[in-house]
Amino acid sequence: MLQINQTYNVSTAPRLVELDGLRGVAVGMVLIWHFIGAPLTSRDNFLFKAIHDVTILGRTGVDLFFVLSGFLIIGIILDRQQPAFRFLRHFYLRRVLRIVPSYLALVFLFWSAVYAGASNAVFNADTPLWRHLTFTQNIWMATHEQWGPGGISVTWSVAIEEQFYLVFPFVILFLPKRMLLPMLALVAGASIIYRSVGYFGYGSVFTMYVHTFSRLDGLAEGGIVAILWRDDRFRDWLRRNFAGWTKAVGILAFGFIPLVVGMANNVASTTAAWGHTYLALLYSALLIYILGSLGSENLKYLRNEKLQKLGRISYTLYLVHPLMLSAIYIGARQPEALHSFGAVPLSALALVLSLGWSYVSFRFFEKPLTDWGRKWTY
């Protein structure tokens, strides 16, 4: 039986800068898809089709975010120093300080536009306001089989993470430690089954993609990595077998080839049948590789200063960039599509504004709030 090493405290250790870089990679993948791949409405020629079919992998940045969130949040719970109920109070307070301000700013901007009279595919009241305020918009999307307004639909993944944060601290705290790994493995397996049944049994693309129960495997597997990494025997085993693990991750990465081919032909069936399952396993294995290589020359690209900065602003950047992109095109009275070189400056402007907004938000609001919140120790 694995023993959780309470002396190995990741959450109080020096900041793992490589994970900031990994967040930068994840949000960069999403940006490449939303700014380049998805807007390529014309795929009649080989070049445009090739760009679209490769950049569609950018969608999987969300899968990477789920694994990272599971690792970090469950790790925080495992490393707690405070009594259970005091920890919960501090945990939720600090989560609110980290997540809610940027999120509410987006909700405010979006609904201000709606109440001011905007009514189109980007700004509308199809998804009720109370869904956004309760982080249940993903359930609405799955039930109604639609994204809802494009300016705020990206928040489906934030809703899943918030629901995860709400429930799993209680589970982790009050479940016997010997049951944590089996429980998380069971959650991951049940999520895979739910996703497959939702699509192949009921033909529901949205249930497969945005329903909480369909996407818990990435979060749970990130949690499994958190438990393993705190076990002395696992880390000793990894040190002895690191060359083999590296090769295994490399071999696993070749799965990207059939994934690209499958997603280019049918995104929904490919991801429902095996894509999301594969991605959660791959990104979890990659995370273990990164943890085993911390500080090494192999990971110098993750310590790149620009990538680090991108990772630190990734949360707000993920939230605001779809709204900013759509708003720029609406303001220019142009369809949101890379149909000509004239559209490139519009997308570039939206990217610059998104980066600027996210930097200002992080520098002057998010970081001061999270720094202040650290006085409530875990």
Side-chain angles (χ1 to χ4, degrees):
M1 183 179 70
L2 286 169
Q3 301 293 320
I4 296 173
N5 179 13
Q6 298 291 351
T7 64
Y8 187 83
N9 193 324
V10 173
S11 59
T12 59
R15 187 177 184 90
L16 303 181
V17 294
E18 287 86 352
L19 297 192
D20 279 335
L22 195 57
R23 289 188 195 93
V25 170
V27 77
M29 292 168 67
V30 174
L31 292 176
I32 287 170
W33 169 240
H34 285 166
F35 279 85
I36 299 175
L40 283 175
T41 54
S42 174
R43 294 189 284 278
D44 295 333
N45 66 62
F46 174 80
L47 178 60
F48 281 7
K49 186 178 188 310
I51 292 172
H52 175 273
D53 291 351
V54 172
T55 58
I56 199 171
L57 282 177
R59 292 167 58 119
T60 75
V62 176
D63 297 80
L64 179 53
F65 273 128
F66 281 150
V67 170
L68 272 172
S69 294
F71 171 77
L72 293 166
I73 294 304
I74 290 182
I76 287 172
I77 300 167
L78 295 173
D79 292 338
R80 71 179 177 88
Q81 303 295 313
Q82 299 286 357
F85 289 103
R86 182 181 298 172
F87 166 80
L88 287 170
R89 185 168 66 247
H90 292 183
F91 174 83
Y92 287 120
L93 178 61
R94 287 175 65 168
R95 286 294 91 197
V96 167
L97 290 174
R98 176 67 189 97
I99 292 167
V100 170
S102 288
Y103 179 82
L104 283 184
L106 174 66
V107 171
F108 175 80
L109 282 174
F110 173 83
W111 282 96
S112 294
V114 172
Y115 287 130
S119 181
N120 49 53
V122 178
F123 297 97
N124 61 65
D126 288 353
T127 308
L129 173 59
W130 71 267
R131 288 287 190 178
H132 293 129
L133 295 178
T134 57
F135 294 98
T136 56
Q137 59 269 46
N138 68 309
I139 306 298
W140 182 92
M141 293 174 187
T143 302
H144 291 79
E145 290 284 324
Q146 60 173 294
W147 288 112
I152 203 167
S153 61
V154 74
T155 59
W156 69 268
S157 62
V158 179
I160 290 176
E161 293 198 2
E162 289 307 296
Q163 293 160 32
F164 178 79
Y165 299 160
L166 184 64
V167 174
F168 270 75
F170 290 93
V171 176
I172 301 297
L173 282 177
F174 299 111
L175 196 69
K177 288 184 173 63
R178 69 181 184 277
M179 297 299 296
L180 294 183
L181 273 179
M183 180 274 296
L184 288 171
L186 182 63
V187 168
S191 181
I192 293 167
I193 293 170
Y194 188 92
R195 180 166 61 234
S196 298
V197 171
Y199 181 73
F200 293 105
Y202 296 94
S204 175
V205 174
F206 279 85
T207 293
M208 176 276 292
Y209 194 72
V210 304
H211 198 285
T212 307
F213 294 157
S214 296
R215 304 308 296 270
L216 286 176
D217 53 325
L219 290 157
E221 289 174 38
I224 290 172
V225 174
I227 294 174
L228 292 175
W229 190 244
R230 285 161 176 77
D231 186 272
D232 290 328
R233 288 172 297 175
F234 176 79
R235 294 201 309 279
D236 288 341
W237 176 87
L238 187 65
R239 277 192 288 270
R240 293 193 306 271
N241 299 278
F242 195 67
W245 188 272
T246 302
K247 290 178 183 176
V249 173
I251 292 170
L252 194 58
F254 276 103
F256 269 132
I257 297 172
L259 185 67
V260 168
V261 174
M263 291 177 72
N265 288 288
N266 191 319
V267 174
S269 64
T270 299
T271 52
W274 66 276
H276 288 310
T277 304
Y278 161 75
L279 289 165
L281 289 170
L282 173 65
Y283 289 145
S284 297
L286 177 64
L287 179 56
I288 291 174
Y289 167 79
I290 290 171
L291 291 168
S293 306
L294 293 173
S296 73
E297 186 69 11
N298 295 339
L299 300 184
K300 63 180 181 181
Y301 68 95
L302 289 179
R303 296 190 293 273
N304 176 273
E305 185 178 353
K306 290 184 174 59
L307 193 60
Q308 294 276 306
K309 290 179 179 178
L310 189 64
R312 286 192 285 271
I313 67 172
S314 60
Y315 171 60
T316 300
L317 182 57
Y318 176 80
L319 285 178
V320 304
H321 79 269
L323 184 144
M324 199 70 72
L325 182 62
S326 296
I328 292 297
Y329 275 89
I330 290 172
R333 299 182 184 278
Q334 295 291 324
E336 193 176 325
L338 289 177
H339 53 77
S340 69
F341 286 110
V344 173
L346 295 177
S347 293
L349 175 60
L351 179 59
V352 169
L353 291 176
S354 299
L355 289 167
W357 177 286
S358 302
Y359 173 77
V360 170
S361 174
F362 177 80
R363 174 69 178 80
F364 296 103
F365 298 99
E366 296 168 58
K367 189 175 186 301
L369 283 173
T370 53
D371 288 346
W372 179 64
R374 287 193 178 96
K375 69 180 181 179
W376 289 287
T377 59
Y378 293 132

